[in-house]
Amino acid sequence: MERPASTAPPSRRGAGQRDVRLLWWANAADGIGSQATGAVLPLLLLHLGHPPRTVGLIAGVSTAVGLLLAPLVAVPADRGARKRVMLAASVLAALAMGGLGLALSLGSPPIALILTAVLAERVATTSFDAAARGTVALLCPGPEQGRVVSRLAAADQGSLIVGPALGGLLYQLSRALPFAADALSYVIGALCVRAMRSDLTAPGPDRADPAAPRPADGRTAPDGRTAPDGDTAAEGDTRRSGGPGRSRRRGGGLPGEAAAGLRLVRATPLLRLVVLWCTTVNLVVVMLYYEAVFTLQRGGHGGAALGAVLAASGAAGLIGALAAPGAAERFGASRIVPAVTWLLVPLAVLLATVTGAWAYGLLFALVCLVMPVASVLLQTGALGATAPALQARTGAVLATTTTGAAALAPVLAGLLTDRLTTGAPALACGAALALLAAHTTRRPVRGALAGRAG
């Protein structure tokens, strides 16, 4: 679909470009700091004498907190508190990690203090991520969104390379240093958010986007844009079908507002594809990572081999994310997404047949190289298919499903490996990808890609 050129005045475009750079720095600093502490937290807990089940419990509880909180925090972010939430979340995370680092420098803190700090950081990062969704759509015009999403994805991939290495190095010097560095990263993020000059408030009932298409009755639009009275399309449909009382019961209050993103996803073919594709592929990548752990361990390879595999996959993902905009301009999303999905099938299946570190690292790097090319295009398409006033809540749906898949993946990989063979997770991933690839070749799906994300 051909996107219109930006009509924003030059001064506003300049401020938006500056704020995009600030958003990139905030995202990069946060990613590096989080990866640094995430890599060493299990080691810290084990070194303090806590059993593996405690490590798993803390990881599970923090993940569950993120799953439950994201849709609720997205509501005030969409309602105008986006920048305030991002700033407050960065400050809270800096205090949590800084406090934990200080406690570690003084001795061995109790598990209750560690758990409190970890949960506080999880609450903060979940709040920041939920509020930050949709910021790209508010900072830059449509034609530039793909490149901005690509650069943010590249920063995420880069943090996978730099973060664990930095965390391991600092941990060797002092177990408090990775957490102090993470606290510093949140301070950098807070300063970047504070320095943003753009209005990050999504257009609402009294700030409607004049370029947004509206139906003749002036109340609702099929893509979820806000109607003059503040209802989304899904909420307006409820009012028309069930009356005012039923609409208030279904959509009233914080839980009802949080569910607006889910209603929009259910009503939009492209968003349904984005959620299905990203959730499935995220599940696959995490399962393949755990299969790498099992395969390399049974092959007698140590942590150095696993670290090399992760570094290679992170570098490949960085290249893939940067290549996505050029690929989109040349081929279009309706061709790239099915092609990438089909290409992932044989790569996953081949991973079931190799045991050497070099062979596994090469194949896993190829998976991580091609996957971001489609992922970035789908995320960009999701921005275009979602009104600014629903960006955070719609993004929370995607974050919840992908995080849930990531939490389920280790369990599935472990069960398949124990009950069958070491290569069973890769074979299961290949089967799941084949079904997903067949779905992406269906005519309605390709039409949605051509109309929204191409």
Side-chain angles (χ1 to χ4, degrees), residues 60-150:
V61 170
S62 62
T63 299
V65 168
L67 289 173
L68 295 174
L69 187 63
L72 300 179
V73 176
V75 175
D78 277 341
R79 294 305 187 202
R82 191 181 308 272
K83 187 173 182 178
R84 293 194 297 274
V85 171
M86 293 168 66
L87 185 59
S90 297
V91 172
L92 174 61
L95 292 174
M97 290 295 98
L100 180 55
L102 178 61
L104 287 169
S105 67
L106 298 176
S108 298
I111 187 63
L113 189 150
I114 297 176
L115 178 60
T116 300
V118 170
L119 290 181
E121 191 213 17
R122 172 60 65 176
V123 168
T125 54
T126 298
S127 301
F128 185 95
D129 292 344
R133 295 184 192 104
T135 304
V136 172
L138 298 173
L139 292 180
C140 64
E144 298 296 323
Q145 289 176 6
R147 296 192 181 277
V148 174
V149 172
S150 170

Side-chain angles (χ1 to χ4, degrees), residues 241-315:
S241 63
R246 181 176 177 181
S247 172
R248 282 193 295 270
R249 285 193 299 270
R250 178 183 174 185
L254 186 60
E257 289 194 53
L262 177 60
R263 293 197 292 272
L264 179 61
V265 168
R266 292 173 58 186
T268 309
L270 178 59
L271 294 180
R272 292 200 302 269
L273 174 63
V274 172
V275 170
L276 175 64
W277 197 94
C278 292
T279 301
T280 303
V281 172
N282 194 61
L283 174 70
V284 164
V285 169
V286 178
M287 283 185 66
L288 293 178
Y289 162 73
Y290 277 91
E291 185 186 342
V293 175
F294 303 145
T295 299
L296 296 177
Q297 189 271 334
R298 291 189 178 184
H301 302 286
L306 180 60
V309 169
L310 293 179
S313 63

